[in-house]
Amino acid sequence: MTITHLHFIKNQRVAPSDGRSIPLIDPSDGTEFAQIARGNSEDVNRAVAAARAAFGEQGNGPWGKLAPMERGRLLAKLAALVDKHRDELVKLESRDAGKPTRTALADVTALLRYCEFYSGAADKFYGDVIPYQSIFAVLVFREPHGVTGQIVPWNYPVQIMGRSCMPALAAGNTCVVKPSEDACLSILRVAELAAEAGFPPGAINVVTGYGHEAGAALSGHPDVDHISFTGSPDVGKLVARAAGEHHHPVTLELGGKSPQIVFADADLDAALPVIVGGIIQNCGQTCVAGSRVLVERPIYEQVIELLATKFRSLVAAPAIRDPDMGPLIRATQLKRVQDFVALAERDGIQVAARGTIAPDAPRGGFYHPAVLLRDVPHDHRLAQDELFGPVLSAMAFDTEDEAVRIANNTRFGLAAALWTRDGARQLRVARKLVCGQVFVNNFGAGGGVELPLGGVKHSGYGREKGMEALHGVTRVKTIVIKHD
Ligand code: NAD
C-alpha cells in the first residue's frame, strides 16, 4: 500500500524524507486500512523550522506578530470548521482508535470546546504591574515560549491535540504535533482544517511516526522551546530527560490508578452507573479511568452484587455498532490486559463478574470483556499498576482514614472520586487525597475543558485545561523601570 497520509508541514502534505511508512490497523477487525508517513529527525527538523518561521525569531513571524484578538478569531474559525466536519472527524477517530461512535463524538465535541474556550481566552490572559518602590515601575509580561511540541497518545488523539495545542496557539506559540503511530488521522485532518481557517503556514505542523524516532527527535530538539507530553510514565521520563538536555520546560500528563471511594451513605443509584462508565469508557484506556473501587464494608457485598449484574450485561463489539465497549487499541494491549487478568486468577483473586464479546465480532479484532475483580489486596499489581483495560478492582475499607490511606497508596495521583452525602466528609476527604482532580458525587473522566487537569507523583506535573494551561505555555518576563 502506498502512503495514504503524509505529514502536514507549512500547510501542506509532505512526504517523509526517506519515503518510509507505518501501517494503520483497524482495532475492530485487525486489518490494515491506511499507511502513515514514518517521520524521522529530518522531517522533524523541517516541521520545527516551519514553526520557528511562523513564530519569527523575535516573535515577529506571521503567527507570532498576530494580535491576541486575531489569534482568537482564527481559533473561532477553526471551531466552526470542526463543527462543520464533526461527522467526518467522528468517523476517522472511531475507526482509527476503535472508539464507539458516541465516545468519538464526545471527543470531537471536546476539541470544539477547546477551540472555543481558548478563542475566548486569547485576549483575556495578561500580565501584571507590581507595586514596588515609588521610583520604579515593574511590569510582568506573559510571553509565549515560541515553538512548542505536543506528543500525543492514541487513546484520545483529537481531544488531547485540542487540549495541548489550543492554549499554546492562543498564547502565541506555534506547534509541532507528534501523534501516536497507532491513531493519528483525526489530528492530520484538524491541521488541514486550521489551514482552511486561515492559520498561516507553520502555525500547526504534524509529523507522524514512531515515538523512538519522530517523538525522540522532537523532544530532544534544540529549537523546541516547550514540550507537552501526554502518555505513559516511562516515556514521560525519556521525554523530560531529552528536553532537559536543553533546559527546555516540559508538561507531563501521565498515567493513573484512580480510586472511586464509596461510603455507606452514598446514593448508589447515582454512583454505580458512573463508576461502571468510569472504567469501561474507551475500554478502560483512559488516563483517569476509575480502575479501583473502594467500598465501605457495610455495603460492600451489596455494591459487588450490583456491579456484577451490570458487568455481566456489558458487551464488547466493533466500534461502528456503538457498543458498550469497543476493542482495545492493538494486539499487544490485548495481551497485556489478558496477562493481568491471568495473574489475578493465578494469585487467587476472585473474578466477581465478566462481560462478553459479541459472538459475531471479527476474530481479528482486539476485544476483551469487562472484568470485575473483588477483594483485591491493596499492594497487588492489580491495585497498583495501570492496566489500560476494562478491569475494575474492588476492595473494602472500614474507616475514613483507611479509605484515604488506600486511595493514596499507589505511585500515581491523577484523579479520584468520592461518593457520600456527608458534606463535612466531602471536603475533609477531598483535601486529603493526593492527586490533581477530585470529584465528589460525580466523576468526569475527560470532563469540562474549563477544569485544570494534571497529576502528582508518577502521574506527572504541570497542568492543562482551563485558564491554568495558559501559565504552562507562557513564561514570565519582569521589566523593572526606574523613572525617578
Ligand atoms: P506512550 O507513552 O507509549 O506514547 C505516547 C506518545 O509518546 C506517542 O505519540 C508515542 O509515539 C510517543 N513516544 C513513545 N516513545 C517515545 C520516545 N522515546 N520519545 C518521545 N516520544 C515517544 O503512551 P500511549 O500508550 O500512547 O498512551 C497511554 C498512556 O498515556 C497511559 O499511561 C495513559 O494513562 C497516558 N495518558 C495520560 C493522559 C493524561 O492526561 N494524564 C491522557 C491520556 C493518556
Side-chain angles (χ1 to χ4, degrees), residues 152 154-155 163 178 181 211 215 229-232 254-255 287 386 388:
V152 176
W154 45 263
N155 60 344
R163 189 178 86 187
K178 208 303 278 174
E181 56 274 29
F229 172 80
T230 305
S232 57
L254 310 177
C287 54
E386 185 184 46
F388 242 45

Side-chain angles (χ1 to χ4, degrees), residues 263-348:
F263 287 95
D265 67 344
D267 175 353
L268 293 185
D269 289 340
L272 295 184
V274 178
I275 290 171
V276 173
I279 184 64
I280 66 162
Q281 177 179 321
N282 206 26
C283 209
Q285 304 168 115
T286 302
C287 54
V288 287
S291 50
R292 293 182 293 156
V293 59
L294 284 46
V295 186
E296 200 166 5
R297 195 157 322 261
I299 58 163
Y300 185 64
E301 291 304 331
Q302 182 193 2
V303 167
I304 292 289
E305 198 37 56
L306 291 168
L307 286 175
T309 303
K310 181 65 189 165
F311 267 63
R312 283 185 206 107
S313 75
L314 294 170
V315 182
I320 200 163
R321 294 185 207 166
D322 203 18
D324 298 321
M325 299 186 328
L328 292 158
I329 187 71
R330 56 173 123 82
T332 50
Q333 186 61 24
L334 174 59
K335 169 89 168 51
R336 176 179 160 82
V337 177
Q338 287 168 336
D339 286 351
F340 264 108
V341 174
L343 173 74
E345 290 181 296
R346 197 198 67 201
D347 290 350

Side-chain angles (χ1 to χ4, degrees), residues 150-156 160 163 178-183 209-220 227 229-236 238-239 242 252-257 284-289 329-330 333 336 386 388 412 414 453-455 459-460 464-465:
Q150 290 76 23
I151 302 179
V152 176
W154 45 263
N155 60 344
Y156 290 90
I160 291 175
R163 189 178 86 187
K178 208 303 278 174
S180 167
E181 56 274 29
D182 288 313
Y210 289 121
H212 66 280
E213 295 176 349
L218 184 62
S219 52
I227 292 277
F229 172 80
T230 305
S232 57
D234 286 346
V235 176
L238 296 176
V239 167
L252 293 183
E253 294 282 4
L254 310 177
K257 193 72 186 174
Q285 304 168 115
T286 302
C287 54
V288 287
I329 187 71
R330 56 173 123 82
Q333 186 61 24
R336 176 179 160 82
E386 185 184 46
F388 242 45
F412 297 108
L414 194 54
L453 168 85
S459 293
E464 291 192 322
K465 303 175 77 168

Side-chain angles (χ1 to χ4, degrees), residues 79 82 108-119 448-450:
V82 168
V108 174
T109 306
L111 165 70
L112 175 61
R113 284 288 300 128
Y114 281 116
C115 297
E116 289 174 345
F117 183 90
Y118 291 107
S119 160
V449 307
E450 302 85 348

Side-chain angles (χ1 to χ4, degrees), residues 51-80:
R52 176 60 63 195
F55 181 72
E57 286 307 323
Q58 279 91 40
N60 54 351
W63 183 258
K65 71 180 182 198
L66 280 185
M69 72 178 169
E70 295 296 344
R71 299 197 295 264
R73 276 189 191 137
L74 284 171
L75 285 166
K77 283 189 186 156
L78 176 56

